[in-house]
């Protein structure tokens, strides 16, 4: 098989998110940590994550849809966060939480031609806009402590809301090194909490606190056989949410991809992720204990290389994940549609013709 026209020059199968959604701030559809909400969107990195890019500007756009649900553990945490369960209420909760998100984001990136530490440097930022809706229904039963004594308490809750708006700003920087079929990458990203957020609301597009995320990745890509294998491991440190006085523990995430280029333009394969909180939550607003969330996801992917002109090319990637093994976090399914426009790989220039003289 001849070398594909551009696959290894594409930034990622999907960035989030990346965001660094999110690299990457994930909207509050209850995805991990405080109330089940994390900064990182698992699955942000995908195919060819560590492969080199063409120098110059690149634009990645993404549509992300997720539909998740959770039981009493996450529902109770969300009710505490929005102030529906007071401190003096000792309660058991039988409830379910359902959430949906439809998000679009754009991530312009610039890759420098001059090497940095012997590698290829890229910088950029991700901006997001979309809609999140969340509903919670259940029954609370327990005891209410007052100055006059302790009294039995019971209540039925049915809460729902939705929000349109912008998400947090996600800057990102990467360094890539290439050694034949082996490619290596390191990245750093974070969350600038400027998106739509209200701690008294179930649905949000921001996470309400800053975060920093860093890690490294590897891609094996053989242009002759079309085999591709990628993995990116990262860790998130979260700062205190000043609105709730709640601080998420350190999160670990692994995104992976295995694919085959059947032709120079067509790719098929599998993608997956493992997400696990390895540190306990803390802060004076933490009333749910350690609350270490985790989830695993896996699903199919398709990729298409689309020549646009002699100087630009496109890459369309479609992938989906079904989640399982969730703990202190909702699970469900999500789909990604990513389209990237980048400089086309330059063909080698022809050697000058020698003049023939007698």
């Amino acid at each position: 098989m001849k070398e594909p026209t551009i696959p290894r020059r594409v930034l990622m199968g999907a960035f989030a998110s990346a965001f660094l959604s999110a690299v990457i701030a994930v909207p509050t559809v209850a995805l991990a940590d405080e109330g089940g909400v994390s900064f990182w969107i698992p699955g942000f990195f995908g195919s060819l994550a560590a492969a080199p890019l063409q120098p110059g500007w690149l634009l990645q756009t993404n549509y992300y849809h997720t539909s998740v649900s959770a039981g009493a553990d996450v529902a109770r945490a969300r009710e505490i966060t929005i102030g529906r369960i007071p401190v003096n209420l000792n309660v058991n909760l039988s409830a379910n939480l359902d959430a949906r998100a439809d998000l679009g984001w754009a991530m312009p990136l610039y890759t420098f031609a001059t090497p940095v530490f012997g590698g290829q440097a890229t910088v950029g930022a991700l901006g997001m806009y979309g809609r999140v809706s969340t509903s919670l229904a259940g029954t609370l039963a327990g005891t209410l402590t007052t100055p006059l004594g302790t009294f039995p308490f019971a209540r039925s809750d049915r809460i729902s809301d939705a929000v349109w708006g912008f998400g947090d700003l996600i800057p990102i920087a990467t360094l890539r090194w290439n050694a034949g079929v082996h490619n290596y990458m390191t990245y750093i990203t974070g969350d600038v909490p400027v998106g739509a957020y209200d701690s008294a609301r179930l649905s949000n597009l921001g996470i309400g606190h800053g975060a920093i995320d860093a890690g490294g990745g590897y891609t094996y890509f053989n242009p002759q056989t079309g085999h591709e294998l990628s993995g990116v491991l990262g860790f998130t440190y979260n700062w205190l949410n000043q609105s709730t006085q709640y601080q998420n523990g350190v999160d670990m995430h692994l995104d992976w991809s295995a694919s085959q280029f059947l032709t120079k333009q067509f790719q098929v394969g599998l993608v997956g992720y493992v997400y696990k909180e390895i540190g306990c939550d803390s802060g004076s607003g933490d009333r749910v204990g350690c609350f270490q969330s985790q989830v695993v996801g896996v699903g199919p992917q398709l990729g298409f290389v689309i020549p646009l002109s002699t100087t630009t090319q496109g890459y369309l990637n479609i992938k989906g994940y079904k989640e399982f093994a969730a703990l202190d976090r909702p699970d469900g399914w999500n789909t990604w549609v990513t389209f990237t426009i980048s400089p086309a790989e330059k063909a080698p220039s022809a050697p000058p013709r020698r003049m023939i003289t007698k």
Side-chain angles (χ1 to χ4, degrees), residues 153-178:
F153 178 89
R155 184 181 78 197
S156 294
D157 279 350
R158 186 171 295 275
I159 314 165
S160 64
D161 58 31
V163 61
W164 284 89
F166 289 96
D168 293 344
L169 178 65
I170 313 296
I172 182 173
T174 66
L175 272 176
R176 290 177 169 80
W177 296 268
N178 171 255

Side-chain angles (χ1 to χ4, degrees), residues 63-82:
Y63 167 70
Y64 173 78
H65 172 84
T66 185
S67 178
V68 296
S69 60
D73 54 347
V74 175
R76 179 173 179 268
R78 293 298 295 139
E79 288 223 43
I80 290 173
T81 299
I82 65 176

